[in-house]
Amino acid sequence: SIREAGERAARIVGNMLQFSRGTESKITVINLNNLIDKALDLASNDYDLRKKYDFKNIRITKQYDELPDIQCAETPIEQVFLNLFKNSAQAMSGYFQDSDKVPEIFIKTEKLNNHVRIEIGDNGPGMEEPVRKRIFEPFFSTKEPGIGTGLGLSVSYYIIVEGHGGKISVESSPGSGTVFIITLPIQRGD
């Protein structure tokens, strides 16, 4: 048990160091399923009493297709995944307090022709249409002052669309959870 805990701690610290050092946007060939798992590892170790959520209390459901490696900037894409996981966790915090339902984040990946598609969703409170329409705007936030800057999703949009030639969209309605859909080209320029 001690050895497993030590190995897990070493893996977490390694992921955190790699994430914090990876400020340059160097294009490499990576496996997105592995990158999603790394982002999940980072998110699961992000606990702060002020944020009022514990990622370890969220059920994670994965449905990974076998994906080809893609060309992308690893750290920015990992930042997008981490941001989506944290936003889901924050949106669900407190939502299930008076319910026997369990908060859940589900992740689905699949290959579509020259692209890969990633869905990251939750069974949380969802969004009203006016919020959903503005969700990618810089400085727009539904969080209380001091909790967020309103930049996470606009930066994520920029990373996916401008930085990688992909697409990101959101599907959500009140009481039905939220799903973010990301499509990335396998080869740069596709």
Side-chain angles (χ1 to χ4, degrees):
S1 293
I2 293 171
R3 183 176 318 195
E4 286 176 16
E7 289 170 356
R8 183 170 181 266
R11 188 176 70 247
I12 290 164
V13 170
N15 286 345
M16 291 172 89
L17 286 171
Q18 184 179 7
F19 184 76
S20 66
R21 286 186 196 136
T23 54
E24 75 279 350
S25 294
K26 190 173 118 183
I27 301 299
T28 57
V29 177
I30 62 160
N31 180 283
L32 279 179
N33 292 336
N34 293 340
L35 190 60
I36 291 168
D37 286 341
K38 279 178 59 179
L40 279 170
D41 231 11
L42 286 172
S44 70
N45 291 287
D46 179 39
Y47 178 73
D48 185 336
L49 288 172
R50 292 172 296 171
K51 294 178 187 170
K52 300 178 184 162
Y53 71 88
D54 185 354
F55 204 85
K56 291 181 180 92
N57 295 330
I58 298 171
R59 180 183 336 160
I60 306 296
T61 304
K62 300 183 224 178
Q63 185 181 345
Y64 288 172
D65 199 2
E66 192 170 321
L67 298 179
D69 290 348
I70 73 164
Q71 295 177 343
C72 71
E74 181 175 353
T75 301
I77 296 295
E78 185 176 13
Q79 178 184 347
V80 170
F81 296 148
L82 187 59
N83 185 50
L84 293 176
F85 296 145
K86 286 183 172 187
N87 282 356
S88 284
Q90 288 170 348
M92 292 187 292
S93 69
Y95 182 67
F96 294 103
Q97 279 182 332
D98 300 326
S99 169
D100 58 349
K101 292 175 85 176
V102 175
E104 179 179 11
I105 292 176
F106 55 89
I107 306 150
K108 179 180 178 184
T109 63
E110 62 183 325
K111 180 184 180 296
L112 301 171
N113 299 321
N114 299 334
H115 294 79
V116 292
R117 176 182 162 113
I118 305 107
E119 291 182 19
I120 297 175
D122 63 50
N123 63 343
M127 293 180 246
E128 299 278 350
E129 185 176 352
V131 171
R132 192 179 69 243
K133 285 182 174 181
R134 298 187 61 200
I135 204 72
F136 295 113
E137 289 180 17
F139 304 107
F140 177 77
S141 179
T142 59
K143 298 172 187 162
E144 297 173 23
I147 301 295
T149 61
L151 288 173
L153 289 174
S154 64
V155 168
S156 295
Y157 183 90
Y158 179 82
I159 290 168
I160 297 297
V161 176
E162 300 296 325
H164 290 82
K167 296 178 184 173
I168 183 170
S169 62
V170 62
E171 295 175 359
S172 184
S173 59
S176 299
T178 300
V179 179
F180 284 89
I181 301 160
I182 299 170
T183 308
L184 290 168
I186 294 171
Q187 297 287 325
R188 300 288 289 179
D190 280 355

